[in-house]
Amino acid sequence: MAPEPANGMLFTIGLVATWYSCNIGVLLLNKYLLSNYGFSYPMFLTMCHMTACSLLSYASVAWLKVVPLQAVRSRVQFLKIATLSLVFCFSVVGGNISLKFLPVSFNQAVGATTPFFTAVFAYLMTRKREGWITYLTLVPVVTGVIIASGGEPSFHLFGFIMCISATAARALKTVLQGILLSSEGEKLNSINLLLYMAPMAVIFLLPATIFMEGDVLAITVALAREDKKILWYLLFNSSMAYFVNLTNFLVTKHTSALTLQVLGNAKGAVAVVISILIFRNPVSLTGMLGYALTVFGVVLYSESKKRSK
């Protein structure tokens, strides 16, 4: 029997609430571990995330049958997925590094510029042109971040560069995914794509972690002897990183990509408010106005893209 509309609505609301909780939860716990707790190893933390995504993706597809398994059909497709994995890996590492130096509120303000970088990469790589109104909506997106940067009391140049780089990498992955996996035979849903990308990311991250954070394992073991909570933090944080992707897929499936975009804009604002309440990081009126302008620009951009289709 099909679920009653009320039950269906409750299910969707619960799904969105879970997606929000996982998104904001992993962001805040990343910030706590990397900055407040003093676990300053963003590459190792990202590797933990990718390891959890590898194991839980396999469990979801092979055992729980959340989605049917989609096989990699050729060596060329495998190399395309590996390229996406490398870019994805850089975006997550960059985002985690930025959280060492920047408050979550400013991190989210910079992250909201993703549509700007997506439009730039789409034009450079595919020569895809948008309408002039769509490009005009990107002006407040960028202007807002410039204003927020000038008014950010905790501004850190290296953290800002890493945050911008991570945002650009996320946009690049989106555009590359559309180019590399464009044919019907190569398209993968997000759960299957994560199933293949996450283990590749672990392989990319392992030598980098050993080279740049070589003593992290010994330090983690030493920390665990003093405070066993660090192991629970890492386990919970890594599991949430997977559930961000799973709930993202499920929300898109049960609503629409456009709804996801709108909810994503609101999620950023919610994350900003919660992070300020928890971490008590100083904020300025100028910074908040800049962030508000960026979000307003993103909403205009989404509306413009919807109307152009």
Side-chain angles (χ1 to χ4, degrees), residues 33-229:
L33 285 169
L34 292 166
S35 185
N36 297 61
Y37 190 87
F39 189 79
S40 303
Y41 301 99
M43 285 197 173
F44 179 74
L45 185 62
T46 307
M47 196 169 75
C48 290
H49 289 178
M50 294 301 104
T51 302
C53 286
S54 302
L55 297 172
L56 293 172
S57 293
Y58 181 79
S60 296
V61 176
W63 297 343
L64 300 177
K65 311 289 184 186
V66 173
V67 292
L69 176 65
Q70 295 173 287
V72 175
R73 301 189 175 194
S74 65
R75 186 184 172 201
V76 172
Q77 188 185 12
F78 176 83
L79 291 173
K80 289 177 179 179
I81 294 170
T83 302
L84 287 174
S85 178
L86 190 60
V87 176
F88 173 63
C89 195
F90 179 78
S91 72
V92 179
V93 171
N96 284 341
I97 290 173
S98 74
L99 284 171
K100 280 180 64 178
F101 305 101
L102 300 176
V104 173
S105 52
F106 187 55
N107 177 281
Q108 289 295 285
V110 176
T113 61
T114 302
F116 168 76
F117 289 104
T118 304
V120 169
F121 285 129
Y123 176 74
L124 291 176
M125 299 174 76
T126 67
R127 294 297 171 188
K128 181 184 176 184
R129 293 175 181 268
E130 303 287 353
W132 67 271
I133 293 178
T134 303
Y135 286 123
L136 194 62
T137 62
L138 293 172
V139 174
V141 172
V142 177
T143 305
V145 168
I146 293 170
I147 292 171
S149 301
E152 175 53 51
S154 307
F155 183 83
H156 189 284
L157 182 59
F158 178 69
F160 176 72
I161 291 169
M162 292 311 299
C163 197
I164 281 282
S165 301
T167 304
R170 276 197 301 274
L172 178 60
K173 176 191 165 288
T174 301
V175 175
L176 277 175
Q177 190 172 327
I179 297 169
L180 298 178
L181 303 178
S182 56
S183 68
E184 284 302 317
E186 288 185 329
K187 282 182 180 175
L188 298 172
N189 61 51
S190 59
I191 300 298
N192 273 276
L193 186 58
L194 186 66
L195 173 66
Y196 295 116
M197 284 200 312
M200 293 180 190
V202 173
I203 292 168
F204 292 139
L205 283 166
L206 185 59
T209 302
I210 292 169
F211 179 71
M212 298 181 73
E213 302 174 350
D215 55 349
V216 65
L217 204 55
I219 288 170
T220 305
V221 171
L223 275 172
R225 284 174 181 160
E226 294 176 18
D227 181 10
K228 285 189 168 53
K229 283 189 292 186

Side-chain angles (χ1 to χ4, degrees), residues 248-269:
N248 188 85
F249 169 77
L250 292 173
V251 169
T252 308
K253 182 180 177 182
H254 288 277
T255 57
S256 67
L258 183 62
T259 302
L260 186 81
Q261 200 169 36
V262 173
L263 290 170
N265 295 337
K267 174 184 65 64

Side-chain angles (χ1 to χ4, degrees), residues 293-308:
L293 182 61
T294 295
V295 172
F296 178 65
V298 171
V299 171
L300 290 179
Y301 174 81
S302 302
E303 187 63 25
S304 175
K305 287 278 287 181
K306 184 177 75 173
R307 293 190 177 190
S308 66

